[in-house]
């Protein structure tokens, strides 16, 4: 792959989904995309780039290219201290705030194979506060392959490495082949859909959310793509709705329109209740 081919392919992938392949990852990109050239019979990366731009099948191929460049690492009950803070400190607030409508909407944005979305549904089941509420958890991802896995809801030991024996017993059923399946009562609370977080128009179809988990997704984006996604996520939150990022992520230098909320066990972000009322504060 020449430097020019790398630049063209990198820019194309970036403008589609925000993932920025750094200069020093050129060889990784080359290695991961090479099988695609073989599948298509493209003689070199310039021909592959032309295919991605102009072929009638370019959208399908772009998905395959992005698929080969993304990381889908995830597991149930990831980042337990954040989940504890969510459960103990934010869910009671949401219960009070939505007491009249008795409706709750959570979104796992960049849900990979579904573990995060199901984890949220399991937390709600554990909590019991929302038992007779209208509750929905949405999981979306740019990869159709992982969404198919999410809908299947069958998992092996790696996905369960942070799941206690109690939770395993309560929320999963053994299927044989050293795998378990998420119980129907949890599956019924979660729906999955294909969605590119950079797609502003597509985002308008997403319901207004009480909380969005967008963890370990934007770490692969540059600042400009992050800004765009944050604007979109903010727009999808109800005023006062919460945004939870991964533990290595923050909104520093992004000028994003969120308040910082200091919980006892974590820092989260919140869309201000009223436009123009910004500032760091405690709950
Ligand atoms: C590392 S996984 C994180 C999964 C989960 N949120 C967690 O923290 O365990 C990142 C996911 O983000 C998805 N992703 C990357 N870019 C995206 C985009 N532009 N729109 C939607 N999903 C995207 C990837 O396909 C991948 O499944």
């Amino acid at each position: 792959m020449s430097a020019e081919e790398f630049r063209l392919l990198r820019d194309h992938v970036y403008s589609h989904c925000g993932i920025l392949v750094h200069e020093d990852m050129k060889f990784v990109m080359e290695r991961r995309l090479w099988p695609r050239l073989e599948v298509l019979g493209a003689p070199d990366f310039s021909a592959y780039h032309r295919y991605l731009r102009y072929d009638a099948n370019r959208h399908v191929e772009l998905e395959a290219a992005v698929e080969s460049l993304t990381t889908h690492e995830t597991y149930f009950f990831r980042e337990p201290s954040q989940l504890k803070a969510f459960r103990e400190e934010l869910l009671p607030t949401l219960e009070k705030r939505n007491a009249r409508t008795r409706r709750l909407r959570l979104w796992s944005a960049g849900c990979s194979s579904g573990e995060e979305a199901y984890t949220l549904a399991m937390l709600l089941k554990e909590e019991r506060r929302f038992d007779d509420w209208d509750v929905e958890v949405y999981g979306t991802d740019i990869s159709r392959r992982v969404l198919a896995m999410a809908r299947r809801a069958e998992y092996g030991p790696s996905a369960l490495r942070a799941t206690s024996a109690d939770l395993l017993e309560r929320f999963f059923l053994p299927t044989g082949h050293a795998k378990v399946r998420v119980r129907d009562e949890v599956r019924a609370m979660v729906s999955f859909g294909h969605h590119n977080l950079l797609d502003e128009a597509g985002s308008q179809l997403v319901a207004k959310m009480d909380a969005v988990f967008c963890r370990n997704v934007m770490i692969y984006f540059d600042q400009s793509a992050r800004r765009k996604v944050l604007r979109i996520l903010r727009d999808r939150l109800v005023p006062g709705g919460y945004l939870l990022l991964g533990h290595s992520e923050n909104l520093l230098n992004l000028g994003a329109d969120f308040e910082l909320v200091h919980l006892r066990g974590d820092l989260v972000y919140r869309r201000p209740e009223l436009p123009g009322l910004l500032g760091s504060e405690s709950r």
Side-chain angles (χ1 to χ4, degrees):
M1 185 188 279
S2 68
E4 177 62 4
E5 287 168 337
F6 170 69
R7 195 186 57 72
L8 288 170
L9 286 167
R10 179 199 61 188
D11 290 356
H12 197 61
V13 166
Y14 170 74
S15 64
H16 173 60
C17 68
I19 293 170
L20 187 67
V21 183
H22 290 281
E23 214 74 38
D24 56 357
M25 299 294 273
K26 174 171 169 282
F27 77 98
V28 175
M29 188 180 213
E30 184 164 3
R31 203 184 57 223
R32 294 206 184 159
L33 289 182
W34 183 248
R36 298 306 312 160
L37 271 66
E38 292 195 318
V39 168
L40 298 173
D44 53 34
F45 284 100
S46 295
Y48 184 62
H49 176 250
R50 277 196 301 282
Y51 189 100
L52 282 180
R53 288 207 64 132
Y54 305 115
D55 195 90
N57 214 21
R58 61 189 180 279
H59 300 298
V60 176
E61 186 51 36
L62 187 53
E63 277 194 24
V66 168
E67 181 67 51
S68 68
L69 295 169
T70 41
T71 305
H72 301 294
E73 164 66 7
T74 186
Y75 49 93
F76 286 93
F77 299 97
R78 187 176 195 176
E79 299 184 29
S81 60
Q82 183 181 53
L83 296 175
K84 184 169 185 287
F86 176 68
R87 182 175 166 182
E88 293 178 0
E89 300 184 62
L90 295 190
L91 286 182
T93 307
L94 291 174
E95 184 191 20
K96 267 191 226 126
R97 183 186 301 155
N98 295 5
R100 197 182 52 77
T101 60
R102 299 174 73 75
R103 208 181 117 108
L104 188 71
R105 297 286 179 265
L106 305 180
W107 182 13
S108 164
C111 66
S112 187
S113 32
E115 288 87 329
E116 184 174 75
Y118 288 129
T119 296
L120 298 179
M122 290 171 193
L123 289 182
L124 295 175
K125 282 260 172 220
E126 283 270 281
E127 192 53 32
R128 316 243 30 187
R129 294 168 187 275
F130 303 99
D131 275 0
D132 52 354
W133 282 42
D134 167 13
V135 173
E136 286 197 37
V137 180
Y138 298 96
T140 61
D141 203 280
I142 199 170
S143 159
R144 291 179 208 274
R145 187 181 65 84
V146 289
L147 288 169
M149 292 166 70
R151 291 189 183 106
R152 211 174 306 128
E154 255 188 46
Y155 299 95
S158 161
L160 298 160
R161 59 191 185 263
T163 304
S164 68
D166 276 3
L167 292 167
L168 194 60
E169 165 98 356
R170 165 123 206 251
F171 292 121
F172 298 85
L173 283 171
T175 63
H177 325 292
K179 290 208 160 180
V180 293
R181 180 177 295 120
V182 177
R183 284 183 190 262
D184 287 349
E185 52 170 328
V186 176
R187 293 179 69 180
M189 296 168 68
V190 185
S191 9
F192 293 100
H194 181 252
H195 177 248
N196 179 352
L197 284 167
L198 255 75
D199 176 1
E200 204 146 12
S203 299
Q204 299 299 317
L205 303 174
V206 176
K208 288 278 186 176
M209 298 290 161
D210 296 295
V212 178
F213 283 70
C214 188
R215 307 191 300 173
N216 310 300
V217 179
M218 287 186 279
I219 38 178
Y220 306 103
F221 295 4
D222 77 341
Q223 295 286 80
S224 148
R226 278 186 198 133
R227 260 191 213 108
K228 180 163 183 201
V229 170
L230 288 166
R231 207 177 55 240
I232 291 173
L233 294 182
R234 183 185 182 283
D235 180 62
R236 288 299 91 202
L237 278 168
V238 298
Y242 297 101
L243 170 69
L244 294 96
L245 302 176
H247 69 256
S248 60
E249 305 170 82
N250 62 58
L251 302 188
L252 275 182
N253 306 322
L254 283 165
D257 241 355
F258 284 94
E259 299 169 334
L260 185 58
V261 182
H262 297 267
L263 304 178
R264 282 191 306 279
D266 201 13
L267 286 177
V268 301
Y269 296 93
R270 179 170 57 194
R271 175 177 172 164
E273 292 276 357
L274 296 171
L277 271 191
L278 257 187
S280 159
E281 58 167 275
S282 296
R283 237 167 24 100

